[in-house]
Amino acid sequence: MQAFLESAIVVAVAEIGDRTQLLSFVLASRFRRPIPIVFGILVATIANHALAGLVGQWIGSAIDGAALRWILGVSFLAMAAWALVPDKLDEGEPAGVKNGGAFVATVVSFFIAEIGDKTEIATAALAARFDDFAWVVLGTTTGMMIANLPVVAFGHFSGNKLDPRWARYVAAVILAGQGALALAGARTL
């Protein structure tokens, strides 16, 4: 259960102000169909985070404890620094798929936008740390949905109420804490 809770919190906070959250806003304002967009985000996130979790599990089993602790610690500290950098939606990022509707546009564009994103890397690191694939993927997916549902549901209103700077600071502190714990050899928070 700890793997689920930590994974959900890390991703929910790290996702605020992220490019995929901006993509959620763009898709919601373009298609004005929140239900297919929400399900598209869910499907894309499960697929992306499952792959990231598998990579994390492989890394966790392939590397011995001391080396893994150092790799995870440095990775979490790097993600903490990365969390402080504001994201913006790239001009060339796909905003939709012709004739595919809101669901297909969301699945495709969200999956692509999430490749190499800090939440995908966090998912791999968390899966390596906890060695609990299902709870980590369920947690990171839940965190992604927690962060993106308000954007889809409330659009511009919720975007104006959440200051992404504070979210980045909180995410950086959480990720730095994870890094410090990993470097100290701790297995629990």
Side-chain angles (χ1 to χ4, degrees):
M1 189 55 117
Q2 180 179 354
F4 171 79
L5 292 174
E6 283 190 41
S7 298
I9 291 168
V10 165
V11 170
V13 174
E15 181 65 13
I16 296 174
D18 191 70
R19 69 178 174 230
T20 47
Q21 195 176 48
L22 294 172
L23 179 60
S24 297
F25 175 76
V26 169
L27 290 166
S29 64
R30 177 173 182 215
F31 287 105
R32 299 189 192 279
R33 299 196 57 219
I35 301 300
I37 292 169
V38 166
F39 282 112
I41 292 170
L42 179 63
V43 168
T45 300
I46 290 170
N48 189 285
H49 288 199
L51 290 172
L54 288 172
V55 169
Q57 290 279 285
W58 175 78
I59 290 170
S61 66
I63 300 173
D64 76 346
L68 180 61
R69 187 172 50 248
W70 278 100
I71 291 168
L72 289 174
V74 171
S75 296
F76 278 119
L77 292 174
M79 285 184 285
W82 188 4
L84 294 172
V85 178
D87 279 329
K88 61 181 179 236
L89 194 61
D90 297 331
E91 297 295 324
E93 252 179 79
V97 177
K98 284 188 175 183
N99 301 326
F103 177 77
V104 172
T106 302
V107 169
V108 171
S109 58
F110 212 85
F111 185 87
I112 291 169
E114 193 59 15
I115 293 172
D117 196 52
K118 65 182 164 273
T119 53
E120 182 189 48
I121 294 167
T123 300
L126 288 161
R129 176 178 178 223
F130 285 109
D131 192 30
D132 198 345
F133 172 80
W135 282 113
V136 168
V137 172
L138 185 60
T140 59
T141 300
T142 300
M144 185 70 77
M145 298 309 290
I146 288 169
N148 284 288
L149 285 177
V151 174
V152 173
F154 303 113
H156 186 66
F157 174 75
S158 68
N160 288 337
K161 298 295 180 190
L162 298 173
D163 185 351
R165 290 177 300 172
W166 286 104
R168 287 194 308 272
Y169 301 149
V170 171
V173 168
I174 291 170
L175 290 166
Q178 290 282 325
L181 287 172
L183 289 173
R187 284 301 212 207
T188 61
L189 191 72

